[in-house]
Amino acid sequence: MSTENIVNIAQRARIAANKLQYVTTQDKSVALNKIISVLADKKQEIFKANRTDKENAEILVNAGTLSASLFKRLDLEKGDKFDTMLKGVSDIDQLPDPTGQITYSCKLDEGLELYRVTCPVGVLLVIFEARPEVVVNISSLAIKSGNAVILKGGKESILSLAALSTAIQSALADTVIPPDAIQLVETREEIKALLELDKYIDLVVPRGSNSLVKYIQSNTRIPVLGHADGLCSVYVDKDADIDKAVRVVVDSKINYPAACNAAETLLVNRSILSTHLIPITTALQKANVKLHLDSESLSHLPSIDSSLIKECVAEDFDTEFLDLEIAVKVVGDVEEAIQHINSHGSKHTDAIVTENEQVAKRFMQGVDAAGVYWNASTRFADGFRYGFGAEVGVSTNKTHARGPVGLEGLVIYKYKLYGNGHIVEEFGEGSGKKKYLHEKIDVTEKIV
Amino acid sequence: MSTENIVNIAQRARIAANKLQYVTTQDKSVALNKIISVLADKKQEIFKANRTDKENAEILVNAGTLSASLFKRLDLEKGDKFDTMLKGVSDIDQLPDPTGQITYSCKLDEGLELYRVTCPVGVLLVIFEARPEVVVNISSLAIKSGNAVILKGGKESILSLAALSTAIQSALADTVIPPDAIQLVETREEIKALLELDKYIDLVVPRGSNSLVKYIQSNTRIPVLGHADGLCSVYVDKDADIDKAVRVVVDSKINYPAACNAAETLLVNRSILSTHLIPITTALQKANVKLHLDSESLSHLPSIDSSLIKECVAEDFDTEFLDLEIAVKVVGDVEEAIQHINSHGSKHTDAIVTENEQVAKRFMQGVDAAGVYWNASTRFADGFRYGFGAEVGVSTNKTHARGPVGLEGLVIYKYKLYGNGHIVEEFGEGSGKKKYLHEKIDVTEKIV
């Protein structure tokens, strides 16, 4: 696609975003339900496109250039995947509207009232990989939050994505939501061009590999919401309960090792090596987890299964294994644990296991991460588990939105000031000048 | 300063930020009051440094390389400026602590409680120009919000800044707040090096010229909070009250023309040219405002004072005059006004004058700006006027913080999860699996 056409896509998204400022919760609900019915109607058409994608992908799998797991994630026909996808749209419809919420109010003067009201961010650019149903999920989140979105999925699912997004656009054509609110692009070159267009695009959400996220973070002035790394740690304190330590460490590591919230580093307090280390490492080894041990922890272990034990190297503590592997380090106290995590972690999610409340609070205060857990698995870091209903992604940013991000991460606010010809000149310190009232307003009955 | 030293400054700021995670509201209050007393003690020393700055600056003024207005802003000795500066610290001490606020809570399971709690962003880099007392103001805001800050002021006030920041650091030496929480750098080269250090710095706040802000936005991966432009508009609708229109337009333009919240564009509805245009433009001309009129508005005006009237060029509608000048354009209706503002404005603050509530709400919904005002001057866009007590800056960003930014813009949040050995493996859809409760927690008595 030419640069001109890319600019045109971004401009149309911006125009759609401007129109979306006016839509009501009811409008959004009508659109989401229309999407459900059109997708259901076009199911066979979508399956046909998906089959062609799968046939093409199968050739790549046989040639060894596409992984079997990626291939599996392409499939829209399997089991109740299609119905689950539609159920997801209906779930998002049921969530509270994140826009139009008053988060601050202040009476500045008689007849001069200020309200801070949440509103859509504007135009989103969301980049994801493989699973074609994500296009339906993200489109629903964008509509619910009043944002226009430009989507780019994995190239393996190109026909499925086109069929799904065409269905969504044709559903929107019958509603007040402009079809340009949901647009699809297909190539990396288009993404490169879009990343330049900070005039039209307000937020980029990359959902995918570390390298994809890092590339985007380094190549745009547009704010990026997401995470490149998920290097989570569990610290087992000297006052840890052994059973809880085993449960939390094992679940954090093995429940889903490829997830960003899986534990990659285990820190163990020096004074409990003889009591806690063996039960924990034994449980990990039983689960087939390879241990990268520092020399101190290594010296405390009998070699139960030498193929699962090796001495670590320094880089292991900066490595996101995303597999059945974990780095193990001995630390002197909670302070050393905090310091290690703040230096080597990715500010995603870190847990402490201890029965000592003071130590737990010290850890939770001192660790600079989106999630700080006490006696709980790092795997709880997830929008659904947090009760958000739907998740845009997980952010390790220090501004705007942090941790699992629900619809709230797709809104910002504007200040609405209602006056009656008020001017600043009449306020001030001198005699005859008005003073600001700065009184709280009861907003329960106000619709702004 | 060498790159190594710059990295060292950033690292020390990060270590200070880590320590600041533990400070209490009381600790902060002690530190702020200590700063007040040390500054008061060292007043003569600070004045001496300020005098040398002024002597050096005077040479530049006489040589014509420094403006008289910049010179005036250097002066710390004038009137009650010093006492006002100290009063500012005490005001910030009185504001509510923006950290430690619970903004979301959810019981996930029996004994598994999630809290979202506000916390400091971390390390700030704040760049400002000329007025040396800003170093005291920003340091106080940083301490109150629990952030470490690296400051860079104008080179004309280099000795005053050094005297002030040395006093602040010596005050902190007697408190639990590490003196490295407040550090000063002096050159543009240091800023350039710091903008690379996204590993240590979390947020950049440039307060200064358009070119400074644009340079920073284009040269860092660190989030930037601020505004490059302040192109505000006032739209006078066909249902506008003439008196209110005159008041709001004149105040928006002349109350402080160099401010970012001054109006730069006046949009007038076509159907009221014969009634409203003359009183408005007459009032503006009386205030010595030069009008850049489009041909349609020009043709409706008798040339009262030709030196203040000229036909506009297209660029006038993209120009921040920052002076007694305004561009005037005739539009057909509120939709055209909204479209003009969304294409040419800077998303700062825009106002409508009308008696028609529906039209006003359409405008306030449709204009994509941090502030949308009905019958009120754009000059109200200010943290103090909004009731925030103190202002970090004004943001035209679409994420994190928008409009005048108080202490709230310097905090983010972390999720604290309190469990009892909970693991994800036990939850799910199958039989014997636990379900998430997702119940709201009454947080009034909880301290997390």
Side-chain angles (χ1 to χ4, degrees), chain A residues 104 121 244 375 398 420-421, chain B residues 121 244 367 375 386 398 420-421:
Chain A
Y104 177 80
V121 163
K244 289 180 196 170
N375 289 343
K398 295 292 292 282
N420 189 26
Chain B
V121 163
K244 290 180 195 170
V367 167
N375 289 343
Y386 275 17
K398 295 292 290 284
N420 190 25

Side-chain angles (χ1 to χ4, degrees), chain B residues 182-257:
Chain B
I182 312 292
Q183 295 182 84
L184 196 66
V185 297
E186 295 182 344
T187 67
R188 289 205 167 211
E189 289 63 45
E190 289 166 308
I191 291 300
K192 199 163 174 249
L194 288 167
L195 292 177
E196 299 283 322
L197 301 177
D198 53 327
K199 188 178 168 187
Y200 301 115
I201 300 170
D202 299 302
L203 184 63
V204 186
V205 185
R207 299 169 33 138
S209 68
N210 181 303
S211 62
L212 170 75
V213 178
K214 286 210 163 134
Y215 168 79
I216 288 167
Q217 285 171 335
S218 303
N219 286 282
T220 188
R221 278 190 305 271
I222 307 168
V224 179
L225 190 145
H227 66 282
D229 304 294
L231 206 160
C232 305
S233 301
V234 179
Y235 165 58
V236 180
D237 182 54
K238 74 176 166 56
D239 295 323
D241 174 274
I242 295 183
D243 286 346
K244 290 180 195 170
V246 170
R247 282 166 60 83
V248 169
V249 171
V250 170
D251 192 77
S252 296
K253 180 67 254 183
I254 74 159
N255 179 259
Y256 187 10

Side-chain angles (χ1 to χ4, degrees), chain A residues 33-46 82-83 85-86 167:
Chain A
N33 284 293
K34 185 77 194 173
I35 287 172
I36 295 173
S37 68
V38 171
L39 285 173
D41 287 350
K42 300 204 171 177
K43 185 171 168 178
Q44 290 314 321
E45 219 169 288
I46 294 162
F82 197 86
D83 291 336
M85 181 180 84
L86 298 189

Side-chain angles (χ1 to χ4, degrees), chain A residues 150-294:
Chain A
I150 302 169
L151 291 143
K152 153 87 171 70
K155 62 180 183 306
E156 302 78 14
S157 50
I158 200 159
L159 297 173
S160 315
L161 292 168
L164 290 166
S165 67
T166 304
I168 292 170
Q169 288 191 323
S170 75
L172 294 180
D174 283 343
T175 74
V176 298
I177 311 241
D180 280 344
I182 311 294
Q183 294 181 84
L184 196 66
V185 297
E186 297 182 344
T187 67
R188 289 205 168 210
E189 290 63 44
E190 290 166 308
I191 291 300
K192 200 162 174 251
L194 287 167
L195 292 176
E196 298 282 323
L197 301 178
D198 53 328
K199 189 179 167 185
Y200 301 116
I201 300 169
D202 299 302
L203 185 62
V204 185
V205 185
R207 297 169 36 138
S209 67
N210 181 303
S211 62
L212 169 75
V213 178
K214 285 212 164 133
Y215 168 79
I216 287 166
Q217 285 170 335
S218 302
N219 285 281
T220 188
R221 279 189 306 272
I222 307 169
V224 178
L225 189 145
H227 67 280
D229 304 294
L231 206 158
C232 305
S233 301
V234 179
Y235 165 58
V236 180
D237 182 53
K238 72 177 167 55
D239 295 325
D241 174 274
I242 295 183
D243 287 345
K244 289 180 196 170
V246 171
R247 282 166 60 82
V248 169
V249 171
V250 171
D251 191 77
S252 296
K253 180 67 255 181
I254 75 159
N255 179 259
Y256 186 11
C260 60
N261 57 11
E264 308 291 3
T265 296
L266 168 63
L267 303 172
V268 184
N269 189 290
R270 181 163 293 123
S271 61
I272 53 161
L273 292 179
S274 57
T275 51
H276 293 54
L277 187 63
I278 292 180
I280 295 170
T281 53
T282 304
L284 285 170
Q285 287 178 94
K286 268 192 192 147
N288 219 27
V289 176
K290 188 168 178 179
L291 307 169
H292 300 251
L293 298 143
D294 71 347

Side-chain angles (χ1 to χ4, degrees), chain B residues 379-447:
Chain B
R379 289 276 298 136
F380 284 106
D382 168 275
F384 171 72
R385 288 167 199 156
Y386 275 17
F388 300 162
E391 179 182 286
V392 178
V394 178
S395 161
T396 54
N397 292 7
K398 295 292 290 284
T399 56
H400 189 60
R402 198 181 193 197
V405 181
L407 285 166
E408 280 180 53
L410 299 182
V411 300
I412 183 71
Y413 47 76
K414 55 167 81 165
Y415 287 92
K416 296 189 175 181
L417 183 65
Y418 297 78
N420 190 25
H422 288 73
I423 60 173
V424 164
E425 187 62 33
E426 293 178 346
F427 292 80
E429 290 304 315
S431 76
K433 292 281 187 181
K434 292 203 267 186
K435 303 280 172 283
Y436 289 96
L437 297 179
H438 292 157
E439 287 167 8
K440 208 173 149 40
I441 302 165
D442 180 10
V443 292
T444 47
E445 285 176 35
K446 185 87 187 176
I447 295 167

